[in-house]
Amino acid sequence: MASILTVNAEHLITAMPSYGISDGKSESKFSQKKNGQVLALDILQVFTGNDLMKHGALSVQLNGFLTWLLDEEIPEPDDSGILWYDIESVGSRWNEFAMIKMEENR
């Protein structure tokens, strides 16, 4: 989950506009990073809630995913021995959840 949340936080930082307060002379502390130069500190700001809007978006996505995942029937392990909570399974389920939500929002 940490890997998925880190990647998603990076996406929010590069894709979501800033809603911070600026004095007009400089960018907001949590401005959108369009150049792709996302630092670990930027991601930590999202995780800790200092970048409130992106933290909120990430929290809503995580809550929706976990609710959906835990409501699903637990699949039996396949021949490769991958269990439902292994990164391969959780990662593919995250992608499945994202596709469902994209379809719902069309």
Side-chain angles (χ1 to χ4, degrees), residues 1 7 17-18 25-26 34-35 48 59 65 71 74 76 103:
M1 280 310 311
V7 170
S18 173
K25 297 177 186 169
S26 63
K34 293 183 179 181
N35 63 4
T48 60
S59 297
F65 172 66
D71 284 343
I74 296 174
E76 293 295 321
E103 288 296 319

Side-chain angles (χ1 to χ4, degrees), residues 15-26:
M16 187 176 183
S18 173
Y19 296 100
I21 297 171
S22 174
D23 60 8
K25 297 177 186 169
S26 63

Side-chain angles (χ1 to χ4, degrees), residues 27-98:
E27 290 187 24
S28 164
K29 181 178 178 183
F30 304 116
S31 62
Q32 180 181 4
K33 302 229 176 186
K34 293 183 179 181
N35 63 4
Q37 298 296 322
V38 177
L39 305 174
L41 180 59
D42 299 323
I43 293 171
L44 287 174
Q45 297 293 344
V46 174
F47 286 169
T48 60
N50 288 335
D51 189 340
L52 185 61
M53 296 304 288
K54 293 176 184 91
H55 174 78
L58 187 65
S59 297
V60 167
Q61 290 171 345
L62 175 62
N63 183 46
F65 172 66
L66 290 176
T67 300
W68 173 81
L69 180 66
L70 295 174
D71 284 343
E72 294 288 299
E73 190 170 317
I74 296 174
E76 293 295 321
D78 58 13
D79 293 336
S80 63
I82 295 174
L83 300 172
W84 71 273
Y85 52 82
D86 289 333
I87 186 61
E88 295 89 350
S89 179
V90 173
S92 65
R93 298 305 296 264
W94 176 270
N95 291 337
E96 181 183 347
F97 175 75

